[in-house]
PDB file of all heavy atoms in Angstrom:
ATOM      1  N   GLU A  31      -8.532  -3.805  11.563  1.00 96.00           N
ATOM      2  CA  GLU A  31      -8.298  -5.248  11.182  1.00 96.00           C
ATOM      3  C   GLU A  31      -8.335  -5.535   9.801  1.00 96.00           C
ATOM      4  O   GLU A  31      -8.838  -4.750   8.948  1.00 96.00           O
ATOM      5  CB  GLU A  31      -9.512  -5.973  11.872  1.00 96.00           C
ATOM      6  CG  GLU A  31      -9.758  -5.893  13.330  1.00 96.00           C
ATOM      7  CD  GLU A  31     -10.588  -4.789  13.728  1.00 96.00           C
ATOM      8  OE1 GLU A  31     -10.957  -3.965  12.777  1.00 96.00           O
ATOM      9  OE2 GLU A  31     -10.920  -4.593  14.813  1.00 96.00           O
ATOM     10  N   PRO A  32      -7.520  -6.670   9.530  1.00 97.00           N
ATOM     11  CA  PRO A  32      -7.664  -7.063   7.949  1.00 97.00           C
ATOM     12  C   PRO A  32      -9.000  -7.440   7.534  1.00 97.00           C
ATOM     13  O   PRO A  32      -9.933  -7.736   8.355  1.00 97.00           O
ATOM     14  CB  PRO A  32      -6.618  -8.233   7.969  1.00 97.00           C
ATOM     15  CG  PRO A  32      -6.651  -8.722   9.384  1.00 97.00           C
ATOM     16  CD  PRO A  32      -6.975  -7.570  10.254  1.00 97.00           C
ATOM     17  N   PHE A  33      -9.259  -7.540   6.164  1.00 98.00           N
ATOM     18  CA  PHE A  33     -10.472  -7.827   5.577  1.00 98.00           C
ATOM     19  C   PHE A  33     -10.291  -8.954   4.637  1.00 98.00           C
ATOM     20  O   PHE A  33      -9.352  -9.089   3.949  1.00 98.00           O
ATOM     21  CB  PHE A  33     -11.085  -6.551   4.794  1.00 98.00           C
ATOM     22  CG  PHE A  33     -12.395  -6.876   4.123  1.00 98.00           C
ATOM     23  CD1 PHE A  33     -13.581  -6.703   4.717  1.00 98.00           C
ATOM     24  CD2 PHE A  33     -12.284  -7.338   2.839  1.00 98.00           C
ATOM     25  CE1 PHE A  33     -14.678  -6.956   4.052  1.00 98.00           C
ATOM     26  CE2 PHE A  33     -13.434  -7.480   2.087  1.00 98.00           C
ATOM     27  CZ  PHE A  33     -14.687  -7.377   2.751  1.00 98.00           C
ATOM     28  N   SER A  34     -11.290  -9.770   4.574  1.00 98.00           N
ATOM     29  CA  SER A  34     -11.275 -11.051   3.752  1.00 98.00           C
ATOM     30  C   SER A  34     -12.779 -11.306   3.347  1.00 98.00           C
ATOM     31  O   SER A  34     -13.592 -11.236   4.010  1.00 98.00           O
ATOM     32  CB  SER A  34     -10.649 -12.153   4.514  1.00 98.00           C
ATOM     33  OG  SER A  34     -10.740 -13.297   3.677  1.00 98.00           O
ATOM     34  N   ALA A  35     -12.780 -11.629   2.001  1.00 98.00           N
ATOM     35  CA  ALA A  35     -14.061 -12.038   1.402  1.00 98.00           C
ATOM     36  C   ALA A  35     -13.890 -13.096   0.348  1.00 98.00           C
ATOM     37  O   ALA A  35     -12.965 -12.925  -0.497  1.00 98.00           O
ATOM     38  CB  ALA A  35     -14.921 -10.849   0.837  1.00 98.00           C
ATOM     39  N   THR A  36     -14.616 -14.057   0.305  1.00 97.00           N
ATOM     40  CA  THR A  36     -14.479 -15.195  -0.691  1.00 97.00           C
ATOM     41  C   THR A  36     -15.588 -15.130  -1.743  1.00 97.00           C
ATOM     42  O   THR A  36     -16.738 -14.916  -1.371  1.00 97.00           O
ATOM     43  CB  THR A  36     -14.580 -16.603  -0.019  1.00 97.00           C
ATOM     44  OG1 THR A  36     -13.486 -16.645   0.871  1.00 97.00           O
ATOM     45  CG2 THR A  36     -14.387 -17.609  -1.023  1.00 97.00           C
ATOM     46  N   GLY A  37     -15.100 -14.962  -2.967  1.00 96.00           N
ATOM     47  CA  GLY A  37     -16.002 -14.923  -4.032  1.00 96.00           C
ATOM     48  C   GLY A  37     -15.539 -15.913  -5.214  1.00 96.00           C
ATOM     49  O   GLY A  37     -15.419 -16.969  -4.985  1.00 96.00           O
ATOM     50  N   GLY A  38     -15.484 -15.346  -6.386  1.00 96.00           N
ATOM     51  CA  GLY A  38     -15.186 -16.097  -7.594  1.00 96.00           C
ATOM     52  C   GLY A  38     -13.716 -16.462  -7.776  1.00 96.00           C
ATOM     53  O   GLY A  38     -12.914 -16.176  -6.892  1.00 96.00           O
ATOM     54  N   ARG A  39     -13.237 -16.798  -8.998  1.00 96.00           N
ATOM     55  CA  ARG A  39     -12.004 -17.149  -9.363  1.00 96.00           C
ATOM     56  C   ARG A  39     -11.070 -16.115  -9.802  1.00 96.00           C
ATOM     57  O   ARG A  39      -9.874 -16.318 -10.001  1.00 96.00           O
ATOM     58  CB  ARG A  39     -11.968 -18.234 -10.395  1.00 96.00           C
ATOM     59  CG  ARG A  39     -12.850 -19.481 -10.069  1.00 96.00           C
ATOM     60  CD  ARG A  39     -12.209 -20.312  -9.038  1.00 96.00           C
ATOM     61  NE  ARG A  39     -10.813 -20.912  -9.399  1.00 96.00           N
ATOM     62  CZ  ARG A  39     -10.141 -21.601  -8.751  1.00 96.00           C
ATOM     63  NH1 ARG A  39     -10.466 -21.912  -7.392  1.00 96.00           N
ATOM     64  NH2 ARG A  39      -8.931 -22.104  -9.056  1.00 96.00           N
ATOM     65  N   THR A  40     -11.491 -14.836  -9.634  1.00 97.00           N
ATOM     66  CA  THR A  40     -10.767 -13.714  -9.808  1.00 97.00           C
ATOM     67  C   THR A  40     -10.550 -13.029  -8.392  1.00 97.00           C
ATOM     68  O   THR A  40     -11.575 -12.768  -7.716  1.00 97.00           O
ATOM     69  CB  THR A  40     -11.199 -12.670 -10.752  1.00 97.00           C
ATOM     70  OG1 THR A  40     -11.344 -13.238 -12.044  1.00 97.00           O
ATOM     71  CG2 THR A  40     -10.403 -11.460 -10.914  1.00 97.00           C
ATOM     72  N   GLY A  41      -9.248 -12.854  -8.021  1.00 98.00           N
ATOM     73  CA  GLY A  41      -9.000 -12.260  -6.641  1.00 98.00           C
ATOM     74  C   GLY A  41      -8.420 -10.826  -6.812  1.00 98.00           C
ATOM     75  O   GLY A  41      -7.794 -10.471  -7.818  1.00 98.00           O
ATOM     76  N   VAL A  42      -8.738 -10.130  -5.782  1.00 98.00           N
ATOM     77  CA  VAL A  42      -8.166  -8.731  -5.612  1.00 98.00           C
ATOM     78  C   VAL A  42      -7.468  -8.529  -4.404  1.00 98.00           C
ATOM     79  O   VAL A  42      -8.142  -8.871  -3.313  1.00 98.00           O
ATOM     80  CB  VAL A  42      -9.119  -7.635  -5.948  1.00 98.00           C
ATOM     81  CG1 VAL A  42      -8.472  -6.286  -6.041  1.00 98.00           C
ATOM     82  CG2 VAL A  42      -9.983  -7.902  -7.140  1.00 98.00           C
ATOM     83  N   LEU A  43      -6.187  -8.271  -4.428  1.00 98.00           N
ATOM     84  CA  LEU A  43      -5.366  -8.053  -3.204  1.00 98.00           C
ATOM     85  C   LEU A  43      -5.081  -6.517  -3.077  1.00 98.00           C
ATOM     86  O   LEU A  43      -4.574  -5.954  -4.020  1.00 98.00           O
ATOM     87  CB  LEU A  43      -4.060  -8.774  -3.257  1.00 98.00           C
ATOM     88  CG  LEU A  43      -3.018  -8.551  -2.077  1.00 98.00           C
ATOM     89  CD1 LEU A  43      -3.490  -8.939  -0.826  1.00 98.00           C
ATOM     90  CD2 LEU A  43      -1.675  -9.329  -2.528  1.00 98.00           C
TER      91      LEU A  43
END
Side-chain angles (χ1 to χ4, degrees):
E31 301 90 352
F33 175 89
S34 176
T36 299
R39 299 292 296 178
T40 297
V42 186
L43 174 60

